[in-house]
Every structure is written in structure tokens, then in C-alpha cells.
Amino acid sequence: MDANVLSIVPIVLTIGLAIRTRNVILSLFTGLLSGALIIAKGHPVVALKATIGEYIIPRFLDSYNAGIVVLLVFIGGFVTLLEKSGGAEAFARKVANFIDTRCKTQIAAWIGGILVFFSELGTPMIVGPIFAPIFKKMRISKEKLAWILDCTASPVCVLIPFIGWGVTSMGLIQTELDNLGITAINDWTAFCNAIPYQIYPILCLCMVPLVAFSKKEFGAMAKAEQDARKGIFSTLPSEEAPKKNMITNNNVSPLVVILPLVVLFITLFGILIPQGFPVKQVPGGDFRVALISGYLLAAVTMILLMKHYKVMEIKEGISTYVKGCSKLFDCMVMLILAWALSAVGGILGTSEFIVSIAQGTVPYWLVPSIVFLIGALMSFATGTSWGTFAIVMPIAIPVAYHLDANLYVTIGAVLSGGLFGDHCSPVSDTTILAASGANCELMNHTWTQLPYAIICAAVSFLGFIVATIAESPMITVGCVAAMAVVYLTASKYKGVVIENLSISDIDAIEAEEKKNN
């Protein structure tokens, strides 16, 4: 079909519904059906039949797409075992043994959050309850813990190619590479090359140690930290709520997590290295087979270790694993619908129409920044990063390709924009769980972390412009420096300094307070 204004109806309808309903699956299906209706010239029965028979089922049966779906099944099972094993909690508890100052406490929580990287939803509920009493003892606010949890959940996951986030993103990327006839790179190469350009998540991760070491706070976080320094903490109706999610087996060893990960990586590289990886490009199918094999053997190892440490019997472990295989079901459905919507967009000429409008009006160097801004606004409104990826990626890659914008920077902008809302929107599940894990009121968490998130977002927006022109991953290093300057300047004129108290200092303060009372 010739590209015209009707070609953008499906994507506009999808975005509008996603923002209005916050139901990405419904939005994707509605957008897909509207595109099929346009192609079928308004015949509803023909459109519905084509939606299922010509767009959804063929996308699902495609060998590449089926491999992605199967991999997500195995990842879901493994992550569920990881969350139920108690090994991640044991690992975080070991980290907590080395802290005796406020600064070290914040850094320890940051490290713990990074190390529990397999599940953005598991991180707050594993690390949060472990560090909550330590933060209270060290007179650090619940809002600060919630912010650290949020900065080490999704921002870590989006950078890793071999977990659900990376696999989902690569599935979207490969579809567009195929549609554009790009064979020089594959999904793995594109994603890995885009990692240095994921400016927003990198800035979020770097801001935590900056704040901890500088001891400076501003905005609502400064007030929360000043109150905590005085021993005043915000309260919830139930202070025990997060504990129901904790594993209580104190005999579990960190090996329950460490050894399966070692098995995963040995299997992965053992299969890929003979094929020339990482020097040579390995076919995507072979890479997925290696990952599936690694996750399967890692799961078997974890089940045996859980039996050894008396967490659960082998039969129960297998049952937990099988049930967990459906953990990423919503993601699978979103992927399939996104692939189908991309196919419909190809027939309608959606990207061609958008390119025809953008050419001559939007300079190439502004494309990633616009993509980031659209993704950030959409993800903040909907609270979903994966849904934003599914909607924005199929448009951003073709537009960047035709306008000669750097492909890797553009992919980094899509992932960064989608992450913004997941990281700080009050309707995001990650934001909600970060607040819950820290036993912090949701809106307190939202308002205290939003100024910090906005600094990262503003620097990211400008960073994408410079990165597109310079085409150097070193720009991200400059963005980290710029973020530090902006933060330190803001905290100098609008903030406060919270002294780095040690355990002995706090004990002395508590003794003095007790004496005065």
C-alpha cells in the first residue's frame, strides 16, 4: 500500500490507548486490529481473520520468534527458583556484614541491588527487607533506601543482554533489522553495541555512589534525610508488610545463587567459544540454544542445591520451576503482538510515512533525543518499560536508518526512554515494589527520587544529541561527569550536607537521647 496518513493510525491508536488504559496488551491488539481493518478496507470479519491467521500466528511460528519465546520460558523458570531459593538474600546478607558508616551502608545496598540482577521485581523485595533495619539503625531514611532499590532494579536489568529484558529487546531489534534488510549485524551485536549508549540507566546507577560519597542531598530527599538523622522516620499502617516476602531459612548459602550462575556462564561460553565467540559473529539461533542450555543446567544445579540446604525437596523444586515458566507470559504476548503490529506497519508503510514527514524537518542528530523524550513520556504515563519498547522500537529503528541517525544510539535512546517511567512513575510496578521493599509510602518515594531522575533524564536528552554527532561511547562518560556537576551544583545551592555518621557516633547519639529523655 502507498504510505499515507492512515498508515500511522495503528501506532497512534496503540500509544493513545496505552496511555489511557495502561494496558499495553489491549492497546497493541487494538492497534493491530485497526491496521488490519485498514488493509481489509473496513471489512471486520476479513480483518479479524487476517489479524489472527496472517499476522499473529505466522509471527509466533517463525523460527527466530519461537526461539525467543522458548528462551523466555526457561528464563522465567530460573528466575522463579532464584527468588524462592533464599540464596540471593544470603548473598545480600554477606554484603551487609561489612558496613559501619552511613556511606558504606548506602554503597552496600547499591552493590546488593546490582548483584541481584536477574529480576527487577525481585530486587526490591530481596534487598529491601534485609537493609531496612540497617538503614534505620544508621539513621538513613526509608526514602533513600527505596531510591537505591529503584536505581538498582530496572536500570541494571536493561543493560544485561542474557536476561528477559535483553532477550525481549533483541527480539524487537532483530525484526526491524530483517525488515530493513540489514544483514551486517544481528540482534546480539546491535544490543551490545547499544549498551554504552543507554545513558539514562547508566546515570541512575552512577548517581547512587555520587550521592553516598558526597553526603549532599537536595529537594524532598534532603528533608527526609534530615528527619532520619534526628531519628524521625515516616511510617506505614503496617511496618511488617515486606517481611512476608522474605525467605526465612538462615542456613542457605550464597552458593545457591553463585554456583548456578557459574554453571550458566560455563555452559554459555562452552558452547559459543568453539564457534568463534566473541571474535566472530555467532548466528542468533545458536546463541539462543546456548542460553537455553545454560539456563536449564543452572536451574537443575539450583534445585539440587536447594535440596542440599533443605530449602525444598526436588519434587517441589521442579514444581516451582514449571510454574515459574509462565512468569514472563505477558512479555511473550506483548512481543508477539509487537511483531504482528510491525508486520502490519510494513504493509501500511508506517515508517515510510513518518520518514517522509521527518525528512527535511528533523535533523539526524535530533532523532535519538526525540525518541528518548517520547519513550520517557509514554513510559511515565503507562508505568511500563517493556510495553514502551514494544511500541517505540519498531518505529525508531526504521526512522533512524532512513534519516542516517546512529542505530546504536537510537536503540540506547529507546531503552533509556522506556526505562525512565519504569524507574520513577508512581504507576510502575518497580516503583511500587521499591517503596514496599523499603517500607516507604509510595508518593514519598516518588517525590523524593523524581528530582534525581529528572537530572539524569535532562543530561541524557542532551547526551543523545552529542552521542549522535560524535558517535563515540565515551560521550556517556562525559554525561556521567555532567550529571555529577549538575547534582553537586544543585545540592550546593538548594541542598544540605548529611554527615557520614559511624556506628559509634550513632550509639553515642542514641545514648545521649536516652539520657535526655
Side-chain angles (χ1 to χ4, degrees), residues 257-269 293-302:
V257 168
I258 297 173
L259 195 55
L261 292 181
V262 171
V263 170
L264 169 61
F265 287 117
I266 289 177
T267 304
L268 177 64
F269 291 112
S293 302
Y295 274 108
L296 178 60
L297 292 179
V300 171
T301 304
M302 187 173 290

Side-chain angles (χ1 to χ4, degrees), residues 247-263:
I247 302 298
T248 57
N249 188 342
N250 293 323
N251 295 321
V252 175
S253 166
L255 284 176
V256 174
V257 168
I258 297 173
L259 195 55
L261 292 181
V262 171
V263 170

Side-chain angles (χ1 to χ4, degrees), residues 203-204 206-207 210 455-456 459 478-488:
L203 293 186
C204 288
C206 291
M207 183 172 260
L210 170 66
I455 288 177
C456 293
V459 173
C479 288
V480 173
M483 178 268 292
V485 171
V486 172
Y487 175 78
L488 293 174

Side-chain angles (χ1 to χ4, degrees), residues 199-396:
I199 301 176
Y200 181 78
I202 292 173
L203 293 186
C204 288
L205 283 169
C206 291
M207 183 172 260
V208 175
L210 170 66
V211 172
F213 285 116
S214 70
K215 303 183 288 295
K216 295 180 178 180
E217 310 284 353
F218 78 96
M221 186 71 81
K223 175 65 166 58
E225 285 292 271
Q226 285 178 310
D227 286 345
R229 168 66 177 78
K230 300 172 185 175
I232 303 171
F233 296 89
S234 58
T235 59
L236 289 175
S238 173
E239 289 291 315
E240 302 298 320
K243 293 185 179 179
K244 64 183 181 181
N245 295 289
M246 293 179 65
I247 302 298
T248 57
N249 188 342
N250 293 323
N251 295 321
V252 175
S253 166
L255 284 176
V256 174
V257 168
I258 297 173
L259 195 55
L261 292 181
V262 171
V263 170
L264 169 61
F265 287 117
I266 289 177
T267 304
L268 177 64
F269 291 112
I271 293 175
L272 294 179
I273 287 175
Q275 300 183 54
F277 181 84
V279 178
K280 295 181 180 179
Q281 181 171 301
V282 176
D286 292 346
F287 191 85
R288 285 186 294 282
V289 168
L291 269 175
I292 290 171
S293 302
Y295 274 108
L296 178 60
L297 292 179
V300 171
T301 304
M302 187 173 290
I303 289 172
L304 294 175
L305 286 170
M306 289 165 71
K307 161 68 175 175
H308 176 73
Y309 286 103
K310 296 181 172 57
V311 177
M312 61 179 69
E313 294 297 321
I314 290 178
K315 183 178 179 180
E316 186 183 356
I318 294 173
S319 176
T320 300
Y321 176 78
V322 172
K323 289 178 183 177
C325 287
S326 62
K327 182 181 182 70
L328 300 178
F329 179 77
D330 285 357
C331 172
M332 299 174 204
V333 174
M334 279 193 291
L335 261 181
I336 294 169
L337 291 176
W339 289 326
L341 183 61
S342 176
V344 167
I347 296 172
L348 292 173
T350 303
S351 60
E352 290 86 346
F353 181 73
I354 294 174
V355 168
S356 69
I357 295 175
Q359 280 180 328
T361 58
V362 178
Y364 80 96
W365 48 265
L366 198 55
V367 171
S369 290
I370 292 176
V371 166
F372 169 72
L373 183 60
I374 292 171
L377 293 174
M378 182 178 173
S379 62
F380 189 86
T382 62
T384 171
S385 51
W386 289 14
T388 301
F389 301 158
I391 295 170
V392 177
M393 193 77 78
I395 299 298

Side-chain angles (χ1 to χ4, degrees), residues 113-135:
I114 291 174
L115 293 174
V116 184
F117 62 85
F118 271 85
S119 170
E120 83 286 1
L121 302 182
T123 298
M125 303 315 294
I126 292 170
V127 179
I130 294 168
F131 279 90
I134 304 173
F135 268 56

